Amino acid sequence: MVKRSKKAKTMRKLIKAIWIFNWFNSCGFAELVPLVGSRWDMERFGMIIVGTPRHADVLFIAGYQTHKSLERAKRVYEQMAEPKVVIALGSCTMTGGMYWDSYNTIKRLDDYLPVTMYIPGCPPRPEAVFEACEKIFEHVKELE
Ligand code: SF4
């Protein structure tokens, strides 16, 4: 067996990143905006936003989901390759949030999609999103 060189190991660490596709409704979009700005700059930590679910490892879902938008969210999820992870951001995905008694919104996202992790808050703090992604990195290492 060929022993991996130190340089190769370093390079492997450098290319490690999680690719994220966003599915954000309503003010849920505001939940990720601070992370892409210069204050938090998530790309420094290997969290890359991609333009298509076919390239994504992680699906970020935020905001209340209507029955109509949920069908699109399911289609996005189905297009992602295995292994894949769903992270739900904010109270709306956990309970329906302030729209809990609306006739056309869902209450718990994991009744419809396999949610790996919820991040509570309205909206969640950027630190909480980073912590969730750190856990995803650890999960990926366990898979190796
Ligand atoms: S959790 Fe709060 S910030 Fe996020 S979509 Fe719901 S109401 Fe908006």
Side-chain angles (χ1 to χ4, degrees):
M1 196 173 125
V2 181
K3 208 172 169 190
R4 218 179 256 151
S5 72
K6 197 175 167 199
K7 191 178 173 193
K9 279 184 191 165
T10 309
M11 289 307 290
R12 198 168 148 74
K13 274 187 194 157
L14 284 176
I15 59 170
K16 177 70 72 188
I18 54 170
W19 289 18
I20 302 166
F21 188 81
N22 296 321
W23 181 262
F24 288 172
N25 284 359
S26 62
C27 44
F29 180 69
E31 295 174 17
L32 201 69
V33 170
L35 290 171
V36 296
S38 56
R39 170 87 196 274
W40 296 98
D41 191 9
M42 63 197 282
E43 288 195 3
R44 283 179 303 159
F45 303 107
M47 296 156 65
I48 314 293
I49 303 293
V50 293
T52 165
R54 292 171 203 277
H55 294 163
D57 313 302
V58 176
L59 177 60
F60 270 181
I61 299 192
Y64 60 84
Q65 300 298 318
T66 63
H67 290 289
K68 209 170 176 181
S69 69
L70 182 68
E71 290 311 308
R72 274 64 184 179
K74 284 183 190 165
R75 281 184 65 183
V76 165
Y77 176 77
E78 283 160 10
Q79 288 177 63
M80 292 170 64
E82 296 282 355
K84 53 192 170 185
V85 166
V86 178
I87 300 184
L89 293 88
S91 318
C92 286
T93 53
M94 300 168 82
T95 62
M98 65 172 81
Y99 310 98
W100 64 272
D101 62 346
S102 168
Y103 69 94
N104 65 345
T105 57
I106 63 159
K107 311 304 172 234
R108 285 174 55 96
L109 186 61
D110 59 294
D111 287 339
Y112 305 90
L113 283 173
V115 176
T116 313
M117 198 181 296
Y118 280 108
I119 308 177
C122 180
R125 291 279 310 155
E127 295 93 328
V129 181
F130 282 131
E131 190 177 343
C133 286
E134 177 61 33
K135 288 193 166 89
I136 296 298
F137 280 122
E138 283 167 18
H139 179 62
V140 170
K141 273 186 214 150
E142 283 165 14
L143 292 176
E144 282 178 346

